[in-house]
Amino acid sequence: METESDSKECELPLKKSGPKPGIIYLSSIPPYMKPNKVRNIMSQYGEIGKIYLQPEDAEIRKRRKVGGGSGKKKFTEGWVEFKKKRIAKAVVQSLNGNIIGGKKGSYYHDDIWAMKYLPRFKWSNLTEKLAYDSAVRKKKLQQEMTQVKKETNFFLEQVDKNKQISAIKRKREEKQSSSLKDTPVTAIEDKTDSINSSKAPKQRKLAQSSLRTKPIPSNILSSVFTQ
């Protein structure tokens, strides 16, 4: 049988949950703006929880520095968590598409905010996304390294083949030069004489044919004497 005390225990008030946080997404970060600066600006509108800014790719930063640009660290995108999601929504409605402002002449005065409220988005989703992006980058880097290794091995194989071909040619040339050195001079002279003697009959025939003259026609002679 249910007593009055039992019913009172069952009617204990439920603990009210606190305000739900809201997360906004910054699609671009003003050049060289750091997380502390973002926190200082956003905290003017409400209580801030977590902040994460995505650093730019290290290779892009390296190329910019080599090209004479600044070597300072830049961030490409970011996420800001407000303790109250209604504040997050109000911040996006108020700041998106507007200049950062502040004191005139300040470094970020004319930069424009580009932000969006993320409904039903939790910080754990961001952690999963970052872990996934990191795994994708790691896999892509491994594939690039594998490709570079293949190309390097192919290049080295071609270099070895060229070296082998050059060595074979060099050996042949050395062998030919050594065989010429070992041949006696008399043998070379005999060979030269035999070549010259084989050419002699032909040269004599050519000389004899050149000495022969064609007979002068009689009409040409008669014309000369009649004059």
Side-chain angles (χ1 to χ4, degrees), residues 7-223:
S7 62
K8 285 182 179 180
E9 288 179 2
C10 295
E11 293 174 0
L12 289 174
L14 297 173
K15 188 178 180 180
K16 292 183 179 180
S17 60
K20 293 182 178 181
I23 299 174
I24 65 174
Y25 170 67
L26 305 175
S27 61
S28 64
I29 307 296
Y32 313 113
M33 181 179 281
K34 297 181 178 179
N36 288 338
K37 182 65 175 178
V38 175
R39 180 178 287 276
N40 291 337
I41 295 174
M42 294 298 171
S43 60
Q44 299 174 12
Y45 305 96
E47 188 179 359
I48 301 295
K50 304 180 185 71
I51 286 181
Y52 177 78
L53 301 185
Q54 177 68 45
E56 70 175 335
D57 188 84
E59 286 297 323
I60 296 176
R61 182 183 178 187
K62 184 178 179 181
R63 286 198 296 268
R64 183 177 69 249
K65 190 175 180 180
V66 170
S70 174
K72 293 181 179 179
K73 193 174 185 178
K74 291 176 67 176
F75 299 90
T76 56
E77 56 185 351
W79 292 261
V80 180
E81 181 189 54
F82 284 88
K83 292 293 186 179
K84 298 178 181 179
K85 68 177 183 179
R86 64 180 180 85
I87 299 295
K89 291 180 180 179
V91 168
V92 172
Q93 291 176 357
S94 176
L95 299 183
N96 184 43
N98 295 323
I99 62 172
I100 294 176
K103 293 182 180 180
K104 281 191 174 182
S106 63
Y107 189 79
Y108 304 108
H109 183 275
D110 296 327
D111 288 298
I112 297 175
W113 287 116
M115 58 179 63
K116 180 182 179 181
Y117 174 72
L118 302 176
R120 298 180 298 278
F121 189 85
K122 298 179 180 179
W123 200 260
S124 59
N125 301 137
L126 176 59
T127 306
E128 293 171 0
K129 178 184 181 301
L130 294 176
Y132 173 77
D133 291 344
S134 177
V136 170
R137 284 196 300 271
K138 187 176 180 181
K139 186 176 181 180
K140 184 178 179 181
L141 181 61
Q142 289 176 346
Q143 291 175 346
E144 290 176 352
M145 292 298 293
T146 303
Q147 182 65 25
V148 169
K149 190 175 181 180
K150 287 181 180 179
E151 292 176 356
T152 303
N153 291 336
F154 177 77
F155 174 76
L156 293 175
E157 288 176 0
Q158 295 302 314
V159 170
D160 290 338
K161 287 181 180 179
N162 290 333
K163 286 182 178 179
Q164 291 175 2
I165 293 171
S166 299
I168 292 170
K169 287 182 178 179
R170 188 167 58 253
K171 286 181 180 179
R172 286 179 179 174
E173 290 173 356
E174 291 175 355
K175 189 175 181 181
Q176 289 175 357
S177 61
S178 63
S179 63
L180 289 174
K181 288 179 181 178
D182 295 338
T183 305
V185 177
T186 54
I188 296 173
E189 291 176 351
D190 293 342
K191 189 175 181 180
T192 306
D193 293 340
S194 63
I195 293 171
N196 292 333
S197 62
S198 64
K199 290 182 177 180
K202 293 182 180 180
Q203 291 176 351
R204 283 197 297 272
K205 287 181 180 180
L206 290 172
Q208 290 175 0
S209 62
S210 61
L211 290 174
R212 292 175 183 173
T213 57
K214 294 181 180 181
I216 300 173
S218 58
N219 57 352
I220 295 175
L221 291 173
S222 60
S223 62

